[in-house]
């Protein structure tokens, strides 16, 4: 399994870009999975649903399954947040694992950067960033990709990971 990450500040367009890239990878015949790090408390089930009730009753893990999908929810209950490597162990075999939100993970990453939010670039301080995707000119020695060229970005990732 090849792993490739997307780093950038909130609002930079990581999720939108990944949403455009996944169908391009799938069209190439790649089996793609994703790990996304959320910075805030989030819920995938809602009050009143059985999974929510069981989780709030104290279950550490709740697996919900149907003929269409399954999801495993694990409550940390005060335990430390697992590392990216620990999360990867839960992923079924795939050709390409995309990772969003683990800014400083030691994996090859694309920095998604826009001038608008006014945040500093990450790549000068992260040797694992292999290219920058932006909607503006960026002073960098790394490959600079047009953020709106999802076909070109997909091709860069496939070539970088030697998936072709």
């Amino acid at each position: 399994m090849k792993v490739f990450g997307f780093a950038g500040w909130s609002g930079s367009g990581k999720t939108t870009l990944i949403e455009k890239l996944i169908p391009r990878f799938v069209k190439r015949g790649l089996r793609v999975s994703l790990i996304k790090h959320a910075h805030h408390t989030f819920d995938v089930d809602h009050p009143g649903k059985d999974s929510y009730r069981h989780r709030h009753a104290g279950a550490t893990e709740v697996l919900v399954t149907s003929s269409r999908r399954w999801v495993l929810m694990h409550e940390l209950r005060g335990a430390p947040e697992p590392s990216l490597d620990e999360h990867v162990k839960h992923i079924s075999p795939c050709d390409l694992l995309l990772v969003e939100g683990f800014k400083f993970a030691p994996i090859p990453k694309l920095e998604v950067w826009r001038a608008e939010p006014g945040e500093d670039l990450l790549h000068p301080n992260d040797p694992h960033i292999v290219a920058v995707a932006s909607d503006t000119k960026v002073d960098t020695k790394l490959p600079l990709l047009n953020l709106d060229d999802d076909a070109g970005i997909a091709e860069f990732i496939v070539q970088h990971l030697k998936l072709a």
Side-chain angles (χ1 to χ4, degrees), residues 16-35:
T16 300
L17 175 60
I18 292 168
E19 186 178 18
K20 292 176 183 177
L21 293 175
I22 290 172
R24 292 189 175 281
F25 295 135
V26 170
K27 191 173 182 180
R28 289 174 174 256
L30 299 173
R31 189 170 176 186
V32 182
S33 293
L34 178 113
I35 293 176

Side-chain angles (χ1 to χ4, degrees), residues 5 26 28 49 64 66 70 72 80 82 87 93 99 111 129 133 145 163-164:
V26 170
R28 289 174 174 256
K49 294 292 185 182
V64 181
S66 75
W70 66 270
L72 175 64
H87 287 303
V99 177
E111 179 172 0
I129 293 176
L145 309 170
L163 288 166

